Amino acid sequence: MLYADKAALETRTKVRLLSIRERELELYVRNCRAVGNVSSIMAGAAFMGLLYTGKKAYFENANVLAQGLYVFGLTSTLCLGLELVMATTAITMLGPGLALRGPDGSMNSAVDGILVEFELISRILNVNIQVFLATGAAFAFLDASPNLFCSILVSFLMYACYRMMSHRISVVESDFPLKSVPLVSGAFFSTSGRGRAPDQILGEAWRSPERPSASRAPHVTADERRTYAQLHDIVE
């Protein structure tokens, strides 16, 4: 009877802990989908730009250097955009799948892994936007520009747009300082000294149906015992 009560308490507590981490999972998945949508639009714009380079007077009559820079910029934007689309699609498919159907501790692994991958995706998106703006500056030096002054003016406008975007990113990061303040995670347990997953610690002492002997009894610290007591009060 005591074992059944402890197993039921463990199950209810772990379900509530997983529901908290599920909110983090949904947040990161929505962010990845938003990045994927923006990247697909940029990749489509770059592909259309490559299609319009064939048999167009503004491209064929330009000098070789401007042509090379323009095509290189469009190709880089297309490749980076497709890379982001593939990465975000894989994350939104495999991350929730691991959290839902993986073994014990998969929710923490999925949420932490998505957060790490999203940092890399954000950097690639920033680079992709910069390359796209540089491609616009290269387009200004094609034969579509009436004179050199217009080409320089368009290039300056592209640089001003890049500076405004950088300033806006700095303002947003200062208003929402997620990287400089301690953030609250949905995980209740930190990784133990034995390298186990956080939610594998909960109730491990009562996982075996046999009564644990003194030599096999798992070590539970005082902090973990206090956390168990607090979770017991929450569940009850």
Side-chain angles (χ1 to χ4, degrees):
M1 185 64 183
L2 290 178
Y3 172 77
D5 291 340
K6 290 175 181 178
L9 174 62
E10 175 188 351
T11 302
R12 293 197 304 269
T13 305
K14 293 181 70 173
V15 168
R16 294 198 176 189
L17 296 182
L18 291 176
S19 65
I20 296 176
R21 296 237 75 181
E22 185 180 5
R23 298 175 61 184
E24 291 185 277
L25 180 66
E26 293 176 353
L27 171 64
Y28 298 144
V29 168
R30 286 197 302 267
N31 293 340
C32 288
R33 287 173 178 169
V35 173
N37 293 334
V38 174
S39 302
S40 63
I41 294 175
M42 295 183 64
F47 181 72
M48 293 300 298
L50 287 175
L51 290 180
Y52 278 98
T53 56
K55 297 181 180 180
K56 293 294 181 179
Y58 70 86
F59 181 79
E60 293 181 349
N61 297 333
N63 61 76
V64 178
L65 179 60
Q67 290 178 352
L69 291 177
Y70 182 65
V71 173
F72 176 77
L74 290 177
T75 306
S76 300
T77 303
L78 175 62
C79 293
L80 290 175
L82 293 178
E83 166 66 21
L84 290 172
V85 170
M86 185 191 67
T88 53
T89 302
I91 289 174
T92 54
M93 292 176 60
L94 300 180
L98 174 63
L100 179 63
R101 306 187 63 181
D104 196 11
S106 297
M107 176 64 79
N108 293 323
S109 301
V111 173
D112 297 337
I114 291 177
L115 182 58
V116 172
E117 291 295 330
F118 188 75
E119 290 289 336
L120 177 61
I121 288 174
S122 300
R123 296 191 185 99
I124 297 177
L125 178 62
N126 188 19
V127 173
N128 195 19
I129 293 175
Q130 295 178 13
V131 172
F132 191 71
L133 292 176
T135 304
F139 176 79
F141 287 91
L142 296 179
D143 199 58
S145 178
N147 50 56
L148 182 62
F149 175 76
C150 292
S151 301
I152 296 176
L153 179 61
V154 172
S155 301
F156 176 77
L157 291 176
M158 291 294 177
Y159 178 75
C161 181
Y162 165 73
R163 294 297 300 175
M164 287 189 295
M165 292 174 61
S166 301
H167 175 69
R168 176 52 53 187
I169 292 175
S170 301
V171 171
V172 171
E173 289 182 350
S174 62
D175 293 338
F176 306 97
L178 297 180
K179 297 182 180 180
S180 59
V181 298
L183 300 180
V184 178
S185 173
F188 276 75
F189 299 99
S190 59
T191 305
S192 65
R194 295 178 292 277
R196 295 173 296 172
D199 58 347
Q200 290 178 346
I201 299 175
L202 183 60
E204 185 173 331
W206 306 101
R207 183 159 299 169
S208 174
E210 302 176 357
R211 184 176 179 179
S213 61
S215 59
R216 292 189 305 155
H219 174 71
V220 181
T221 63
D223 293 337
E224 291 176 353
R225 291 182 183 276
R226 286 193 294 268
T227 306
Y228 295 155
Q230 294 175 358
L231 293 177
H232 179 273
D233 296 338
I234 293 174
V235 174
E236 295 298 329

